[in-house]
Amino acid sequence: MNVRAHMSMLFHLDKCIGCHTCSVACKNLWTDRKGAEYMWWNNVETRPGTGYPTGWEDQDHYRGGWEKNWVGIDLKLQSKPKAIANLFYNPALPELDDYYEPFTFRYEDLFNAPEGEHQPTAIPISAVTGDPIDIEAGPNWDDDLSGSPIYASNDPNLEGVSEEVRQQMGEIERVVFNYLPRICNHCLNPACVAACPSGAIYKRGEDGVVLVNEDECRAWRMCVSACPYKKVYYNWSTGKSEKCILCFPRMETGQAPACAHSCVGRIRYMGVLLYDADLIKWAAEGPDEEMFDRQKEIILDPFDPAVIKAAKENGIDDGWIDSAQQSPVYKFVKVWNMAVPLHAEYRTLAMMFYIPPLSPVVSTIEEGLVRLDIPRERVDFELFNSLEKARLPIQYLANLFSGGNEEVIEKILRKMLAVRIYKRRESVEGIIDDATLAMVESADTTPEEIEAIYRLTTLPTIAERFVYPPYHREMAAEAIYGDPLARKGDAGFGYVMPPERGP
Amino acid sequence: MTKEWIRDSEAPAERKWEEFYRNRFQHDKRVRTTHGVNCTGSCSWEVFVKDGIVTWELQATDYPALEDGLPPYEPRGCQRGISYSWYLYSPIRVKFPYGRGVLIDLYREAKAVYHDPVDAWASIMDDPAKRKRIQTGRGKGGFRRMMWDEALEIAAASVVHTTKTYGPDRVAGFSPIPAMSQISYAAGSRFLSLLGGTILSFYDWYCDLPPASPEIWGEQTDVHESADWYNSRFVAVMGANLNMTRTPDCHFISEVRHAGAKLTVFAPDFSQVAKYADWWIPSNPGQDTAFWMAVNHVILKESYVDRQVPYFQEYVKQYTDMPFLVEIDGSRPGKYVRADLVDEYEDVENGEWKLLWWDRSSDRPRMPKGTIGYRWATEDKGKWNLELVDGLSGDELDPELTFAGTNDDIKQVEFDNFSGAEGVVNRGVPVRYIETDRGRIAVTTVLDLMIAQFGVDRGLGGDYAVDFDDEDALYTPAWQEQYTGIHRDTVLRFARDWLDNAEKTNGKNMIIIGAGANHWYHNNLLYRSGIVALMLTGAVGVNGGGLAHYVGQEKLVCHASWGAIAFGGDWGMAPRHQNTPSFHYVHSDQWRYERGYSDYDTLPEFASTDDHTIDHEVRAVHRGWLPFYPQFKQNSLDLVKEAQGEGSGSDEEIVSYVVDRLKSHELEFSIDDPDAPENWPRTWFIWRGNAIGTSAKGHEYFMRHYLGTHSTAVAEELAGETVKEVTYREDAPIGKFDLVVDLNFRMDTSALYSDLVLPAATWYEKDDINSTDMHTYINPMQMAVAPAWESKSDWLIFKSIAAKVADLSRSHIRGPVKDIVMLPLQHDTPDEIAQPDTRDWYKGEIEAIPGKTMPKFRVIERDYSTLYEKMVSLGRGVEKNGVGAHGLNIPVADFYQELAERQPRDIDVSELNGRPYPSLERDREVCEAILYLDPAANGELAHRAFQAEEAKTGLSLTHLSDGQRDTRIRFSDLVAQPRRVLTTPTWSAVINKGRAYSPFTLNVEELVPWRTLTGRQHFYLDHENYLDWGEHLPTYKPRPDHTMLSETEISANEAQGRLLNYITPHGKWSIHSTYSENIRMKTLSRGGYPVWLNDKEAAEMGITDNDWVELFNDNGVFVQRCITSARIPKGTVFVYHATERTVGIPISPLRQKRAGMNNSITRTRLKPVLMSGGYGQFTYSFNYWGPTGVNRDTFVYVRKIDKPSY
C-alpha cells in the first residue's frame, strides 16, 4: 500500500446556478494577461451542449485520454512507437478557432469620435490582432441552450437516447438543461503528464496537483492534445502551456481555490482523499464497466488503522489524516456513493467528482394544452417512482458520468429524492411512518444517513464545505531554502524566475 | 508509472519555479466593500490591492450566522460583481470631466461677451439656432476633456438660469434605488431638495413597484430575506428567474428542496430556475392571473365552501377584510359600510372612516378596532390594533364570515366578466339588512362576495360554475385553459397540493415573484390573484410563507434617518417628489402618440371611457392624488412675490392667494398645458443610473422631445382628437432640455447623450452604505484605492455644484426668497382620511380645500447663498422633530447632540451660526449620521420607535426591543464585519435572535394593523375608481394585444417581418446595463445583446443561429444578432433588458440611423386606476404608489437582415 493524499473537489450539480462566477474568479486571478485571454481554466458548460472547446468530448477528433489495448493502455494520441515520429506534427491539436478568437471593443472611440452624422459605437475587434472582427464564437457560446439545434442536439452524450426523447428535448414536453462546471481533473493517471516529451508536467506528491513547469515546458503541446478534457492550454505569448493549478498558493494558506471560494451556488466541496498509488495501474487498466468501481477501490478509508499506519509511514502527518477523516468529498464519494467522475472511460482516473442533478417532470401536450405527466393521485416527488419521467434522460447522465451505466445514476437520484421525501414527511407531516421507512430502505439508505446527507447538502458552513489540511510550508521552506527563519526575513526579496519564451 | 510523475516536496529544487504563481497571488491589501448596483445583492466583497492597483475581488464570507437550522449566507456575490474590477482601468472609464465640443465653444464665446456665467448661458439658450445646434448634435460624439471648474460652472449656470427664469422645479434629477449607495443617492437628492428641484422617482418607473402591495397591504413592498425561503415547504416561482436575478440567494432554493419543499416554476420559457423545479408550468406569457384565479376557485370551493379549515378561518377573520360588511348598491357591490351610518356608532370620532362587521354573539353590526379612523384619531387614541374587540364598548367580538344560512335575503349581484362577450354575470349573494340613517340597506361580507366572484356555487341561484370542468364559467380550472394553455388537471393538482401544504404547515406557502409578472399592464391584477391564494391559506405574515417580490433593491434599511438627510428634512424642506411614470409620460410627449387607455384597458360596461389617460393624470394632480412638476405655469418664486405684492404676508395668506388664483383658473397647473415652453423641464441631472438609456421606456421619444436629436420612432400622433383636460398644441416640442448633466464612471448611453459628463468614483473608491431586502445586514462601501484620475464621489461632486450654485445665485437670486411647494396628499399621514369620495373642486363639485379636496401647499424659505452650508451640515430640524417612518415620530435630540460633538461643523453665516452642527462634509460623516440616528442601527431608537407605536396601538411592544437597547452600529463595525439590523416598527418583521425576516410577522404576532383602510389585508377595494374599473374584487382582464396598442401599423407597411410579443427579462450578463459592456460579460455571452427566438419559428423565418436580425415597430428599431433556442416559446422574442447603444450597435438598414436599444421598441402606458388618491392606502407616497412603467405588452416585427454596417 502506497498511501498518498489528494486534494479533490466535488461539484453538487443539483445546486449549480450556472452563473460562471467561478470562471471569472479564476480568470481575474490567473489568465487575465496576454496570451492567456482565451484560456478558461475553469469553465461552465450548459448540458446538453458541446462545451468549450467546442466538441471537446469528440476523442475521435481530439484523440485525448487513454485507450485499452490487449496488454494495457496507451495514450490515444500516440501509441508509444509512434510518439517520436509525431513530435513535429500533431493533427489532433486544437486550433484557436476550436476555442474562440478573443475579442474586445474599441471603447475609446466613444470619447474620441468627432461629432458626426451618427452616434459613435465601440466596434468589436480581435484581442489578438486588434482588427475588426465578426464575433462567431466564444467560450460559452451555447450557454442556456443558445443555438440548441446546432449545439445541444449534437451533444455526443445523447448517444443511446431514443429518437423520440431526443425530439421531445427540443420541445416543451421535455426541453431541459443543466450545468457542468469543469476544471482540470488533476488525474491520478494524467494523460498530459504521460504525453509531455520534456517531462515538464508533474503531479505534486503532497496534494496531487498537476502542474506544468513553466521553466521546463518546451511548447510541444502534446499535453494539450492528450488531455481528454482539454484542460491544458498553450499560451501563445510565452510559448508555454498552462493549466489549472487548483489555486495551490491559496490551498497552501488554508483558502479554497478561487473557483470554489466564489461558488455562490455553494455547490463545491473540497477535501482530502487518501489513495493507494500502487493500484493506479490496476485501476486504469480495468475493463470498461469496472472503471469507476476500481477507482473507488483505490480511494482509501481514512479511519482504517492499516491505512493510517501506511499513511504515516509515507510521511502523511496527523493533520492530513484528520482532514481526510473530515473530508466532505470522501463522504459523498465513498461513504454515500453519490458522486462520480466525469467520463471515467477516459481512464485518466479523474479526481474531481460530480453529483448528478435532478430535473423537472416531463409534460405531455393534449389538444394544445400542457399537462404535467404525473399521476392523478397526490404523491410527493413523483420521480422517485418514475425516474424515466425526469426531463434529463438517465441515459444522458450515464453517458457523462458512468460510462453509460444507468443504474449508477438512478441509485444516486433515488437517494437524493429519498432525502427530500423523508425530510418532507418529517417537517410537514411530523411523522415518519412505516411506508416512509420502506421507501428509505428501497433507496438503499437509512434515516441517519439521510440526515447526514441533508445537512451536508443544505446547511454546511464554509468550514464544512472546505476542509483544509495543514500544508506545513515551513517544512517546504526548510527543504527549499534551508532555513525557515531566513525565509521569514527574505521572503519576497528573492529573484523570481520569469518563464522564458519556448523554442 | 506514477513514480516518475509525482514530485514530492523533497525534490525541492525543481519546484522553486512554483513561485511564479505564488507571486501572482500575493497582494498588499484586502479591503471590504461592495457594489452599488441595483441588483438587491448587497454582497460583502474583499477587493485585493497589489502595487496600488485593484487586481481582483473575491467574496467576504464572514456574515454573522442566523438561527440554527438555516443555511449560512456566504458566499454572496455573482459573475457580474466579480468582474467589476475591470471597469476601474478600462477604456470605457470616465477619467476626466467631458463636455460636448460645440457646447464648450458656444459657452466660451458667450462668456467672452457676457463675463457672467449665468448671463452667458442665458444668451445661448435665448438663441434658438444655438440651442438647436447643441441639441441636434447630442449623442453624436465630439466630446472634449474639460477642467472641473468650467464643467461645474456651466452646470451651475444652467441651474441658476432655470431657477431664475422658470422656477426651481424645472431642475430635475434622476437617480435610481438609493439602497445600494445611499450617500451617493442622497448627494443629488439633498442638493435638489434644498434647491427646490424635482426629484424623480424610480421604483414605480422601473415597474419594480407592485401596485398590489399598496392596494392590499398599504405597504410599498416588504419581503422575506432569502434565508426565509428555507422555512417554506411549497414555493411557487413566477416571473422571477432566481439564478439570474437573485444569484447570491439562489442556493436557498436549491437547498430548501433537499429540506423537503416542493418547487413549482411558472415561466413561459424553460428558464434557468426551471432546472430546479419539480414542476415547470409553461403558462402563456402574461397569463398567470388566469391560472391563479382558477387556483383560488379551487381553494374557495374545497376549503371554504365544501369544508372549513380552522386555521384558515381564524386567519382571515383576524387579519383580512373578509368579515367586513359591504353594501350592495343596487345590483353591484358598493362601499364598505361606515360605522357612523348606524345609530350605535353615529357619534364616534372619524365614524366615516371606521367600518363594521357582523358579530355572531351579539348578532348585530359591530365596530372593531384597528380601522383607519382609529389610526388618525385625535381623541379616542390607542385603539389602532387587530384585537377582536369593539372599539366603543370594549366587548369581545366574533365576526361572521358568511351570511350563508343566516341571511335575510338573497340578492342577484352583478359581477364583471372581462373575458367573455356578455360583460357581466349575475349571481346570488346572501345579504342581511341593516337600518342606517339612509334607511335599510342590504349588506354582505367580503367572503360572500369573494365566493360569488369566483363562481363557487352554494345553491344561491344565478350564473355559477357547474363544476371544475365548466369551461364557460369564470375562473374554473377548465376556463383558464384558453388563456394559460395549461391543462385543467395540472391546475387542480397544483391547487390541491398548495392547500394541503398550507393546512399542514400553517401557511408555509410562498410565491416568489418578479419582473416577469410585474411588467404587464395589468400587473396589479396578476399579483392580486396570487396574493389571494396566499391570504386564503393563511400564508402572509408567517415565516416561510407569503409573497416574496424581488424587483429593485427597495429596502433602505435606515430610511428614517436617511430620509431626513436625503430630502432636506433637517432644514425643513418639502421636497418635490415626482412620480416618474407620469413625468415621462407627459413631458416626453408619449401621451401624444396614443388615444389613451381605453384602447387597451377593459372597463365594465357602465363606465365611461371616452377620455384620455392624460385627462386622468390632470384630474389626479388637481385633486392632490399625484404630484406634478413643474407645478404651475408661473415661476413659483415669482408667484410668491406676486402674492406678497398683493398683500399676502403670512404663509397662510400666500397659500390662500394661490388657491384663489387656481380656483379662478387664472393660475394654470403646468400639467394643463405641458408642451408650453414655460412648462418644460430644463436642466437634468442624472447620476447612478441610465435615465436616457436603459430605463427610458419610450427611449426614442426621449431622443426627440427631450434631447432634440435623432430618433428612430415613426409613430403617428393620435391624442389630438381624444384629450379633454389638457391643451393640445399642434406642433410637439423638440428638445425640451437646455442641459443634461451625467455623473458616471463609465461612458454609458446616458453619458453619451449628455452635454456634460462628470467623472464619478467607482464603488471601490468611496465610502458609502448598502442594504437590501434579500438579507438583514448592512454593508459598507469603502475606498480600496483613491478615486482614479480626476474622479470624485457623488457626494463631493454635488457638494461642489452646490457651492457653485450658491456662488452664482448671489448676484442673480438675491437674499432669502420664498417658494410655494405643491404636494399631493400623503400616505402615512391624516391625509389618508381626506377624501371619502371623488368629487372635483376644479369642476366646482366641491369646495377647494388645500390638503383635503386638493393638493397641499407649503411655503418654504430658500436662501440660495447658503445652499452649500446647509448641504454639508445636518440641520436642527432632526434635533427638533426627530426622525420618522410609517407615521411614527422617533425623538433623537440627544443623539443629534452627541453627533455634533463627535463630528462638529460651524456655519459661518449669521442667521445659522451658534452651536456646531453635525458635519456632513465627508461621505464617511454622512454614513455615521445615518447609522447613529436610525432605529435599525441604534437600539435605543428602536426602543423609542416601539414606544411611539405603543401609543398609537395601545399594545405592549417594547419587549421586542429588549436586549438590543445598547446596540449602536457604527461604520467601523460594518468594516469589521457585516452587522445585522435590529427589529424595529419602521419595518414589519420580528427578527430577534437570528430569526429570518418574514414580512408582516409583526402584524400577525403583535396585532399591529396594516396601514390600510380596514387595518387588515384587503381582498376588496372600495375606492370609487376601483368600483368604476371593475377592480374592486380580484379579477381577470385580458392582455392588451397589438391591435390595441397603435405601435405596429406604420411598420407593417415598411418591411416584411413576423409580429411577435417582445419580452425583456433581466439578463444573465449584466445588472441592468451595468457590466453589460464589461469584457468579461461580453466574452461569456456572445459579444453583444442577442435576440432570442424559438428555433423552429426562426427556421420558418429563414433565420439561423447568430444571424443578424432587425426588430422594429413604430416606436423604434433594434438590431442585433440572434440566438435560436428550443427553450424559448413560439410567438415571443426575448431581448434581455437594459442593452447599451454604445457597444457594437450597427446602423439600422430600415431606418438608416444608428439602431437603438431595448427601450427603442417600448412606450409608456399608464393605468389610470392606479392614480387614485386621498383615500386610505390609496394615498401618494414617493415610489410607493401611482401608475407604473409597464412595458411587457409590446409587439414588434422581427426580420432577418444581411450583415449591417457600423
Side-chain angles (χ1 to χ4, degrees), chain B residues 712-731:
Chain B
T712 61
V714 297
E716 210 183 334
E717 296 195 23
L718 299 169
E721 308 138 32
T722 47
V723 292
K724 291 196 170 63
E725 311 267 355
V726 80
T727 304
Y728 185 83
R729 294 177 173 246
E730 275 314 313
D731 295 317

Side-chain angles (χ1 to χ4, degrees), chain B residues 507-519:
Chain B
K508 292 195 179 296
N509 291 33
M510 186 181 283
I511 296 176
I512 298 179
I513 193 165
N518 203 41
H519 287 186

Side-chain angles (χ1 to χ4, degrees), chain A residues 4 13-21 24-25 28-30 32 103 105 107 110-111 113-116 118-122 134-136 139-141 143-148 170-171 175 177-179 189-190 193 199 202-206 211-215 242 250 252 255 261-264 266 280 360-361 369-372 374-376 378-380 382 391 420 423-424 427 429 454 458-462 465 473 479-481 487 499, chain B residues 1-2 5-8 12 14-15 17-22 24-25 30 56-59 61 71-72 74-75 77-79 82 91 93 98 133 137 139-142 230 233 243 247-248 251 255 257-262 270 272 274-280 481 485-487 489-490 493 497 500-501 504 752-753 1068-1069 1077 1079-1080 1082-1084 1086-1087 1092 1095-1096 1105-1106 1121 1123-1127 1141-1145 1152 1154 1203:
Chain A
R4 292 193 170 269
L13 295 186
D14 192 60
K15 297 180 72 178
C16 185
I17 296 170
C19 65
H20 302 251
T21 310
V24 181
N28 278 347
L29 193 41
W30 302 119
D32 189 14
F103 52 82
F105 296 84
Y107 298 103
L110 300 172
F111 294 87
E115 189 175 316
H118 293 296
Q119 176 218 295
T121 194
D134 281 331
I135 301 170
E136 304 283 353
N140 187 32
W141 196 251
D143 190 59
D144 292 343
L145 293 185
S146 294
S148 60
E171 302 285 349
V175 64
F177 60 89
N178 212 301
Y179 300 106
N189 184 34
V193 179
Y202 61 97
K203 190 169 180 69
R204 305 210 314 177
E206 65 269 39
L211 290 179
V212 181
N213 184 326
E214 294 292 291
D215 288 338
E242 292 195 51
R250 288 180 55 88
E252 287 169 354
Q255 303 171 83
H261 175 99
S262 67
C263 178
V264 64
R266 297 170 24 99
I280 290 175
V361 69
L369 297 172
V370 181
R371 178 183 172 158
L372 297 174
I374 51 178
R376 267 180 174 273
R378 218 169 51 230
V379 201
D380 288 332
E382 302 82 2
R391 285 178 170 259
R420 297 187 63 194
K423 294 305 288 186
R424 182 164 183 83
S427 60
E429 312 283 347
Y454 153 75
T458 73
L459 293 172
T461 60
I462 209 159
R465 279 197 295 129
R473 290 297 301 162
I480 298 168
Y481 303 101
R487 183 66 181 156
Chain B
M1 57 174 71
T2 57
W5 298 343
I6 294 177
R7 294 196 200 153
D8 288 306
E14 292 165 47
R15 287 182 48 184
W17 79 274
E18 288 176 7
E19 288 211 356
F20 174 64
Y21 290 120
R22 284 193 195 99
R24 165 65 184 167
F25 179 64
R30 296 176 171 200
W56 68 82
E57 54 278 270
L58 282 173
Q59 300 100 325
T61 54
E74 49 75 11
C78 70
Q79 71 271 31
I82 202 167
R93 175 81 197 261
Y98 284 89
R133 174 66 194 88
K140 294 176 185 165
Y230 196 78
R233 283 300 172 268
N243 305 51
T247 314
H251 67 88
E255 286 161 348
R257 294 154 60 242
H258 294 269
K262 295 182 181 184
F270 190 88
Q272 286 79 355
K275 67 158 274 209
Y276 292 126
D278 295 301
W279 298 345
W280 170 51
E481 288 178 344
I486 303 298
H487 196 280
D489 285 0
T490 295
R493 183 59 205 282
D497 271 38
D500 179 69
N501 189 78
K504 288 178 175 154
L752 192 66
Y753 279 85
K1068 184 168 182 174
W1069 307 110
E1077 85 286 55
I1079 198 60
R1080 295 274 183 276
K1082 276 268 179 272
T1083 301
L1084 284 172
R1086 280 187 174 197
W1092 288 72
D1095 55 339
K1096 299 192 176 62
D1105 192 56
N1106 210 35
R1121 290 181 176 239
I1123 287 173
T1124 68
S1125 176
R1127 70 172 195 84
R1141 51 189 301 171
T1142 48
V1143 178
I1145 304 294
Q1152 292 297 311
R1154 178 78 59 207
K1203 186 185 162 188

Side-chain angles (χ1 to χ4, degrees), chain B residues 688-709:
Chain B
R688 298 166 71 255
N690 205 340
I692 298 172
T694 54
S695 56
K697 286 144 202 191
H699 168 79
E700 298 292 339
Y701 304 97
F702 279 51
M703 295 278 122
R704 179 182 295 156
H705 299 293
Y706 277 169
L707 302 182
T709 185

Side-chain angles (χ1 to χ4, degrees), chain B residues 199-454:
Chain B
I199 302 165
L200 295 169
S201 70
F202 36 84
Y203 192 51
D204 45 358
W205 174 235
Y206 283 176
C207 212
D208 294 353
L209 169 72
S213 180
E215 282 176 348
I216 293 170
W217 295 309
E219 180 66 74
Q220 178 195 39
T221 300
D222 202 13
V223 298
H224 315 67
E225 66 178 302
S226 53
D228 198 48
W229 303 350
Y230 196 78
N231 287 318
S232 186
R233 283 300 172 268
F234 194 134
V235 181
V237 177
M238 172 164 61
N241 191 344
L242 303 179
N243 305 51
M244 278 211 194
T245 57
R246 300 284 82 85
T247 314
D249 307 288
C250 195
H251 67 88
F252 289 112
I253 278 299
S254 71
E255 286 161 348
V256 70
R257 294 154 60 242
H258 294 269
K262 295 182 181 184
L263 177 67
T264 299
V265 171
F266 296 85
D269 60 322
F270 190 88
S271 70
Q272 286 79 355
V273 69
K275 67 158 274 209
Y276 292 126
D278 295 301
W279 298 345
W280 170 51
I281 300 184
S283 55
N284 290 329
Q287 297 291 11
D288 309 74
T289 316
F291 188 96
W292 284 97
M293 290 302 277
V295 170
N296 291 327
H297 177 96
V298 176
I299 294 173
L300 281 165
K301 172 147 179 64
E302 298 198 342
S303 64
Y304 279 82
V305 172
D306 292 352
R307 77 190 168 106
Q308 284 82 40
V309 176
Y311 172 73
F312 299 170
Q313 296 278 310
E314 295 311 309
Y315 182 92
V316 296
K317 263 184 203 176
Q318 189 149 25
Y319 304 118
T320 77
D321 66 344
M322 277 292 198
F324 281 88
L325 301 182
V326 174
E327 182 174 355
I328 302 301
D329 184 9
S331 61
R332 291 186 65 91
K335 304 195 80 164
Y336 290 109
V337 182
R338 274 33 201 189
D340 63 357
L341 287 180
V342 299
D343 280 355
E344 187 171 359
Y345 304 114
E346 66 182 352
D347 295 326
V348 299
E349 185 190 13
N350 296 334
E352 200 177 1
W353 297 95
K354 291 177 180 171
L355 311 174
L356 299 175
W357 65 33
W358 197 281
D359 177 48
R360 288 160 70 99
S361 30
S362 56
D363 200 32
R364 67 172 196 274
R366 300 296 293 271
M367 181 185 69
K369 292 179 173 181
T371 53
I372 199 162
Y374 288 104
R375 186 175 184 202
W376 301 116
T378 50
E379 295 151 22
D380 194 17
K381 290 184 180 179
K383 292 184 182 172
W384 184 56
N385 64 52
L386 298 180
E387 290 166 352
L388 302 177
V389 166
D390 185 285
L392 185 63
S393 67
D395 294 344
E396 288 199 7
L397 302 177
D398 180 12
E400 187 81 271
L401 279 171
T402 170
F403 291 157
T406 61
N407 51 319
D408 296 330
D409 200 355
I410 294 169
K411 288 197 82 148
Q412 289 296 313
V413 175
E414 230 175 68
F415 294 92
D416 300 306
N417 178 3
F418 297 115
S419 67
E422 62 270 39
V424 290
V425 292
N426 287 288
R427 288 167 176 167
V429 173
V431 299
R432 298 189 71 142
Y433 293 108
I434 60 176
E435 292 302 329
T436 72
D437 60 5
R438 287 198 275 111
R440 199 179 76 145
I441 61 171
V443 303
T444 189
T445 69
V446 171
L447 177 59
D448 282 328
L449 285 174
M450 285 284 292
I451 292 171
Q453 165 77 353
F454 281 88

